[in-house]
């Protein structure tokens, strides 16, 4: 955020009531059009709220600006710290922590998966495609691969989904037992919601250099 925009944000935050463009311009010593440009940018960034009133005579409608609650200064966020706090609290559950992480992942996997129509069967290939789409949307960079020798089991069905990117890597390194169980639960919950004839049996962190492998059971197993 530029110094000018920080100045305008501070003016609005310190005001006891919503302020108009002219008030901000006078306080900042700038032209009203310049003040309006920065105010609208702060609204677009979600830092300020803008209300439009009826015009008083000719000209533009009356706009007033106020700071959005919880936006004390700038747009800095500490979501990783929040995740670390929640993971450390979950870790206190002891032996039940990993199971609860998987359960949470399954609930969110079911939420993120597209729900099929009632009584409609989902084909294995369609279920796998939707699973890969969900994982791709979450930035796991999934890739279905075959690791079995040809002719063993169902050779035309991928037995592994390679996850080439971990969007939670900074958390997964110190809290692997919990974060990876959330990943496993996401996949299992999505497939369960789809009522898919496919299942993810396990997730092995970094089974390959730079990639985790989610192991699939053949359709119907």
């Amino acid at each position: 955020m530029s110094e000018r925009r920080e100045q305008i944000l501070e003016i609005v935050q310190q005001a006891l009531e919503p302020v108009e463009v002219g008030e901000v311009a006078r306080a900042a010593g700038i032209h009203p059009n310049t003040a309006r440009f920065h105010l609208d940018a702060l609204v677009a960034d979600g830092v300020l709220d803008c209300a439009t009133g009826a015009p008083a005579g000719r000209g533009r409608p009356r706009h007033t600006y106020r700071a959005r609650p919880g936006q004390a200064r700038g747009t800095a966020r500490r979501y990783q710290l929040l995740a670390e706090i929640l993971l450390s609290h979950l870790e206190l559950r002891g032996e039940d922590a990993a199971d609860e992480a998987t359960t949470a992942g399954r609930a969110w996997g079911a939420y993120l998966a597209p729900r099929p129509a009632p009584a409609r069967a989902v084909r294995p290939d369609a279920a796998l495609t939707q699973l890969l789409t969900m994982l791709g949307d979450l930035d796991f960079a999934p890739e279905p691969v075959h690791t079995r020798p040809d002719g063993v089991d169902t050779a035309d069905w991928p037995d592994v989904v390679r996850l080439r990117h971990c969007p939670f890597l900074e958390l997964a390194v110190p809290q692997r037992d919990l974060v990876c169980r959330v990943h496993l639960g996401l996949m299992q919950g999505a497939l369960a919601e789809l009522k898919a004839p496919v299942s993810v049996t396990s997730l092995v962190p970094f089974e390959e250099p730079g990639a985790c492998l989610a192991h699939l059971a053949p359709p119907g197993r």
Side-chain angles (χ1 to χ4, degrees), residues 146 148-158:
H146 296 79
R148 292 183 302 264
D150 289 343
V152 177
D153 217 353
T154 309
D156 59 345
W157 177 259

Side-chain angles (χ1 to χ4, degrees), residues 45-221:
D45 288 341
V47 180
L48 298 182
D49 285 330
C50 177
T52 303
R58 295 183 177 182
R60 297 174 181 267
R62 179 173 176 268
H63 295 290
T64 58
Y65 299 84
R66 66 179 181 87
R68 183 170 287 185
Q71 301 280 358
R73 183 78 176 177
T75 57
R77 300 292 182 270
R78 297 291 182 265
Y79 294 124
Q80 183 175 337
L81 176 59
L82 174 61
E84 290 173 351
I85 292 170
L86 296 175
L87 282 171
S88 64
H89 178 73
L90 179 60
E91 194 174 25
L92 296 177
R93 301 297 182 91
E95 295 180 355
D96 296 332
D99 289 339
E100 292 196 23
T102 306
T103 299
R106 286 174 181 154
W108 276 90
Y111 169 74
L112 295 172
R115 181 171 297 179
R120 181 177 179 180
V122 179
R123 300 191 315 272
D125 57 338
L128 179 60
T129 297
Q130 294 192 39
L131 175 66
L132 295 174
T133 298
M134 183 193 78
L135 292 172
D137 290 342
L138 295 174
D139 294 325
F140 281 101
E143 178 187 12
V145 294
H146 296 79
T147 62
R148 292 183 302 264
D150 289 343
V152 177
D153 217 353
T154 309
D156 59 345
W157 177 259
D159 60 324
V160 161
V161 174
R162 178 183 290 130
L163 305 177
R164 296 170 294 157
H165 177 260
C166 178
F168 312 122
L169 183 62
E170 291 80 6
L171 299 172
V173 171
Q175 298 276 13
R176 177 180 299 183
D177 291 343
L178 297 181
V179 176
C180 294
R181 291 292 290 269
V182 172
H183 298 172
L184 175 62
L186 283 170
M187 293 182 282
Q188 291 178 338
L191 293 174
E193 180 68 17
L194 291 169
K195 298 180 175 61
V198 185
S199 63
V200 177
T201 58
S202 64
L203 173 64
V204 182
F206 304 109
E207 189 172 358
E208 294 181 351
C212 303
L213 299 185
H215 292 263
L216 300 173
R221 294 291 180 88

